[in-house]
């Protein structure tokens, strides 16, 4: 707020004028007195007039008060102007100083507020990170605790299913196995959604073939997923390059979710995956992917919230078809991570089409050879799986020789389950109850293969692996170390591999997965 401006003063003008007039009157008086004294005349008024009239110089001297008064007034006025200008400058400087001080105060307050806000943000971030870490630890612990008994349930049902059972017993085992698989799927979905929602999940860029990826999807959709009257097929536009770059694991994950969702709500008919090219340039290509089914369809009023977590069309679906409603929410999150969008078109009684688009990169190897691949696969493109094709015995392709295997596992039930599985594969194993026992046994026996649990008392599997590899020069043989753990999150896998383990198996472990792992590292001869 501006202060009122002081009035300009003329003090010096008036003072200097008075001084000038004073001295101006002194000059003619002194000159007159001097002339009267010089002529020896008495000081009388007539003599003053006589002297004044006789000397013309007095006429000039008599004007001194006027000129001296004017010159003095001018000098005083100039000084007053300087004083007034200085005062105005001082006022301006004072106001500006006051304004600057006020702004500095406001700036200081703003800086203080920002520092407080930054501290609050840092505190909130630390609290959020602590909360996220606590949630991750909680989910990891819960996953581990649930997967541990699931390993026994799924492992034992797998062994039972491969044995001699009556049709009724086999049906019972199938129900147990299916329930275990459903529970495992729920756990995996909750963990996946939590990772995506907390920003832990990261994208990778690898070369992949879209047709190979779709083959993997069909392979993942096992006989237990398809219904007898449902056919599953895919079609890839022949102009799409044969080699692309992107996060194939995430794309596969979205497709598996959508296909399983389509199977769940399709009693009979077709489920088709369509892949077509969208916008493209020299380095990138948009993929438009559709998953169409001839299922029950979804009413329009229920479509909007379908991609929200724990959301389903209605509660009766949960009872009839099962599931948590997390699958489509995960699909939405993953597609958005991949830079695309997902949408739905559906008509009750006709079927549903889930459509999503993603951007992938081209490579120097992207030669557009899918036209040849498509013609060669006219893939086999319609592949039907039926529950009636379920196996009664596993075709076990055992290693050529018996392996010296160590199982480092503290849970006695899992010791029995893995031991029985290995026996079914023609192998046997020694058992160590913790990492310390595993180290001692490895220094005595040249093991070919170690299945190493992560969480064990006294010394866990990661510590045991690091210590074991440090003793490598003293060992008779360097074993292949495979993590076999209920800690199934990506960071657990990374932690195991960074410690020096060769591979990773997440519990619950299936017999065919165990066999595949052994075949991977100890291939059988023809």
């Amino acid at each position: 707020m501006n202060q009122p401006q002081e009035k300009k003063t003329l003090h010096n003008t008036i003072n200097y004028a008075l001084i000038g007039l004073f001295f101006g009157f002194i000059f003619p008086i002194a000159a007159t007195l001097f002339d009267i004294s010089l002529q020896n005349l008495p000081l009388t008024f007539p003599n003053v007039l006589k002297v004044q009239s006789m000397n013309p110089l007095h006429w000039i001297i008599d004007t001194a008060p006027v000129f001296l008064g004017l010159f003095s007034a001018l000098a005083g006025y100039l000084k007053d102007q300087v004083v007034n200008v200085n005062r105005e400058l001082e006022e301006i400087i004072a106001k500006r100083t006051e304004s600057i001080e006020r702004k500095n105060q406001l700036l200081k307050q703003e800086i203080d507020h920002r520092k407080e806000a930054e501290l609050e943000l840092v505190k909130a971030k630390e609290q959020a990170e602590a909360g996220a870490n606590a949630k991750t630890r909680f989910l990891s612990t819960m996953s581990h605790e649930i997967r541990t008994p699931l390993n026994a349930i799924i492992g034992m049902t797998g062994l039972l299913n491969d044995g001699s059972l009556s049709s009724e017993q086999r049906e019972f085992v199938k129900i147990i196995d299916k329930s275990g698989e459903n529970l495992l799927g729920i756990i995996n979905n909750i963990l996946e959604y939590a990772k995506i929602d907390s920003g832990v999940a990261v994208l990778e860029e690898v070369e992949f073939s879209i047709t190979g990826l779709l083959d993997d999807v069909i392979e993942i959709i096992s006989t237990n997923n398809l219904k007898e009257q449902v056919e599953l097929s895919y079609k890839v536009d022949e102009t799409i390059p044969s080699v692309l770059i992107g996060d194939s694991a995430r794309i596969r994950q979205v497709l598996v979710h959508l296909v399983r969702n389509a199977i769940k709500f399709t009693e009979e008919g077709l489920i088709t995956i369509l892949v077509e090219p969208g916008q493209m340039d020299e380095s990138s290509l948009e993929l438009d992917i559709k998953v169409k089914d001839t299922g029950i369809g979804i009413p329009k009023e229920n479509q909007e919230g379908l991609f929200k977590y724990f959301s389903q069309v209605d509660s009766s679906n949960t009872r009839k078809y099962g599931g948590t409603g997390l699958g489509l929410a995960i699909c939405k999150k993953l597609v958005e991570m991949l830079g695309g969008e997902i949408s739905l078109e559906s008509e009750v009684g006709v079927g549903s089409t889930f459509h999503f688009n993603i951007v992938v990169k081209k490579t120097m190897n992207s030669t557009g050879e899918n036209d040849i691949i498509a013609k060669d696969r006219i893939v086999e493109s319609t592949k039907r799986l039926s529950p009636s094709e379920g196996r009664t015995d596993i075709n076990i392709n055992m290693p050529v020789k018996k392996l010296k295997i160590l199982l480092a596992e503290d849970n006695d039930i899992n010791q029995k389950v893995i031991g029985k599985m290995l026996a079914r594969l023609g192998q046997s194993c020694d058992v160590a109850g913790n990492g310390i026992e595993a180290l001692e046994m490895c220094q005595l026996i040249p093991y070919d293969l170690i299945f190493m649990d992560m969480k064990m008392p006294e010394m866990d599997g990661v510590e045991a692996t690091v210590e074991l590899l440090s003793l490598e020069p003293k060992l008779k043989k360097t074993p292949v170390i495979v993590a076999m753990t209920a800690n199934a999150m990506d960071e657990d896998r990374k932690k195991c591999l960074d410690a020096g383990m060769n591979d990773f198996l997440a519990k619950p472990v299936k017999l065919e997965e165990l066999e595949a792992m052994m075949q991977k590292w100890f291939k059988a001869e023809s």
Side-chain angles (χ1 to χ4, degrees):
M1 181 177 179
N2 294 330
Q3 296 180 352
Q5 186 175 358
E6 295 184 10
K7 294 182 179 179
K8 295 182 178 179
T9 61
L10 297 174
H11 298 303
N12 290 304
T13 304
I14 295 171
N15 291 336
Y16 279 34
L18 292 174
I19 292 170
L21 288 172
F22 176 76
F23 282 104
F25 280 111
I26 289 177
F27 287 155
I29 292 172
T32 301
L33 292 175
F34 179 78
D35 278 350
I36 289 175
S37 176
L38 187 65
Q39 295 180 26
N40 292 317
L41 297 174
L43 182 62
T44 62
F45 185 71
N47 288 335
V48 171
L49 293 176
K50 180 180 177 181
V51 171
Q52 287 284 336
S53 62
M54 289 178 63
N55 190 352
L57 182 61
H58 280 285
W59 301 347
I60 299 172
I61 294 173
D62 288 344
T63 62
V66 177
F67 289 105
L68 282 175
L70 289 174
F71 287 140
S72 297
L74 179 62
Y77 177 76
L78 292 175
K79 186 173 183 181
D80 282 333
Q81 289 297 101
V82 171
V83 170
N84 289 330
V85 169
N86 286 340
R87 184 182 294 114
E88 290 176 356
L89 287 174
E90 288 174 356
E91 290 175 355
I92 292 172
I93 291 171
K95 290 177 181 177
R96 289 188 177 178
T97 302
E98 183 182 355
S99 175
I100 290 172
E101 289 177 350
R102 193 183 306 114
K103 289 180 179 178
N104 284 340
Q105 184 65 25
L106 292 174
L107 183 60
K108 183 177 181 300
Q109 291 176 355
E110 179 66 20
I111 291 172
D112 291 340
H113 288 324
R114 290 192 178 186
K115 285 182 177 178
E116 290 177 3
E118 287 176 0
L119 289 174
E120 289 297 324
L121 285 174
V122 170
K123 186 177 179 181
K125 181 183 177 184
E126 289 175 350
Q127 290 176 345
E129 288 176 347
N133 290 334
K135 182 170 72 173
T136 300
R137 288 194 300 271
F138 173 77
L139 290 172
S140 178
T141 301
M142 290 305 298
S143 172
H144 180 273
E145 295 305 312
I146 296 173
R147 283 173 182 272
T148 298
L150 269 181
N151 187 58
I153 294 170
I154 293 178
M156 283 300 187
T157 53
L159 291 173
L160 279 172
N161 196 43
D162 292 323
S164 300
L165 299 174
S166 67
S167 58
E168 185 181 37
Q169 290 171 331
R170 194 172 299 281
E171 184 66 24
F172 292 162
V173 170
K174 182 179 176 182
I175 292 172
I176 297 171
D177 186 58
K178 182 65 175 178
S179 299
E181 291 288 347
N182 288 340
L183 180 56
L184 181 60
I186 292 170
I187 295 168
N188 289 337
N189 282 347
I190 293 174
L191 285 175
E192 183 64 27
Y193 189 88
K195 285 192 295 183
I196 296 170
D197 199 43
S198 62
V200 175
V202 293
L203 295 177
E204 296 181 347
E205 288 191 345
V206 295
E207 289 190 356
F208 70 95
S209 161
I210 190 66
T211 51
L213 186 148
L214 293 173
D215 283 338
D216 290 343
V217 171
I218 289 183
E219 185 175 347
I220 291 170
I221 306 299
S222 66
T223 57
N224 288 335
N225 292 117
L226 269 184
K227 299 167 185 174
E228 192 169 357
Q229 302 301 319
V230 176
E231 292 185 357
L232 173 61
S233 65
Y234 69 77
K235 182 179 181 181
V236 179
D237 189 281
E238 60 185 22
T239 62
I240 294 177
S242 58
V243 181
L244 299 168
I245 294 179
D247 195 328
S248 58
R250 298 298 184 189
I251 301 171
R252 184 187 301 110
Q253 191 174 359
V254 173
L255 284 169
V256 168
H257 274 301
L258 292 179
V259 172
R260 281 179 173 162
N261 187 74
I263 292 170
K264 187 187 300 182
F265 297 103
T266 304
E267 295 297 331
E268 60 180 6
L270 299 173
I271 297 173
T272 308
I273 307 172
L274 301 175
V275 185
E276 298 176 341
Q279 296 180 353
M280 69 175 72
D281 54 33
E282 293 181 356
S283 61
S284 63
L285 166 68
E286 182 183 52
L287 294 179
D288 286 323
I289 305 175
K290 296 178 181 178
V291 177
K292 302 179 67 173
D293 66 57
T294 56
I296 61 175
I298 301 170
K300 289 188 180 298
E301 62 269 20
N302 298 121
Q303 293 179 17
E304 184 177 353
L306 200 59
F307 293 101
K308 295 179 181 178
Y309 62 93
F310 300 121
S311 174
Q312 289 191 332
V313 175
D314 59 57
S315 60
S316 62
N317 284 334
T318 304
R319 293 191 298 270
K320 183 176 180 181
Y321 298 103
T324 61
L326 270 178
L328 294 180
I330 291 173
C331 288
K332 184 176 187 295
K333 291 281 188 180
L334 288 174
V335 169
E336 289 173 350
M337 281 179 61
L338 293 165
E341 295 179 345
I342 187 168
S343 60
L344 166 67
E345 295 176 5
S346 184
E347 184 177 347
V348 175
V350 177
S352 302
T353 299
F354 286 89
H355 169 245
F356 67 95
N357 64 301
I358 54 172
V359 177
V360 294
K361 294 180 181 179
K362 297 180 180 178
T363 69
M364 297 299 292
N365 297 326
S366 298
T367 57
E369 295 175 350
N370 258 332
D371 53 343
I372 301 174
I373 295 173
K375 290 174 183 176
D376 288 342
R377 295 192 175 184
I378 288 179
V379 233
E380 300 174 4
S381 65
T382 300
K383 186 172 183 178
R384 176 179 171 182
L385 300 175
S386 169
S388 60
E389 298 172 2
R391 55 178 170 70
T392 56
D393 291 301
I394 282 186
N395 182 17
I396 298 174
N397 200 8
M398 292 182 295
V400 176
K401 61 178 182 178
K402 283 183 65 71
L403 299 174
K404 290 185 181 295
I405 300 174
L406 174 63
L407 175 63
E409 168 67 62
D410 63 306
N411 186 283
D412 55 348
I413 294 177
N414 282 330
Q415 290 173 0
K416 293 177 181 177
V417 171
I418 301 302
K420 293 291 185 182
M421 286 184 173
L422 289 172
R424 185 63 58 89
L425 296 172
Q427 300 288 344
S428 61
C429 66
D430 296 332
V431 176
N434 56 55
I436 295 176
E437 291 181 11
L439 285 176
E440 293 173 350
M441 296 174 72
C442 285
Q443 294 179 70
L444 297 173
I445 302 172
Y447 289 108
D448 301 298
L449 175 63
I450 300 176
F451 289 114
M452 185 78 76
D453 189 19
M454 278 188 74
K455 286 190 175 181
M456 292 185 291
E458 298 187 53
M459 179 183 285
D460 64 34
V462 173
E463 294 172 328
T465 298
V466 173
E467 186 68 23
L468 182 62
L469 293 178
S470 69
L471 298 174
E472 189 173 3
K474 300 179 181 179
L475 300 178
K476 298 178 181 179
K477 177 183 285 189
T478 301
V480 173
I481 305 175
V482 177
M484 182 181 286
T485 174
N487 290 33
M489 299 182 76
D490 291 340
E491 50 266 36
D492 298 317
R493 177 187 294 269
K494 184 177 185 302
K495 191 174 181 180
C496 290
L497 297 180
D498 289 346
M501 296 189 194
N502 301 95
D503 220 323
F504 188 93
L505 266 178
K507 294 176 183 175
V509 179
K510 295 182 180 179
L511 186 60
E512 54 266 34
E513 292 173 343
L514 189 63
E515 178 195 9
M517 183 63 70
M518 296 173 67
Q519 287 290 325
K520 176 180 177 180
W521 291 100
F522 304 94
K523 291 184 179 179
E525 297 178 358
S526 300

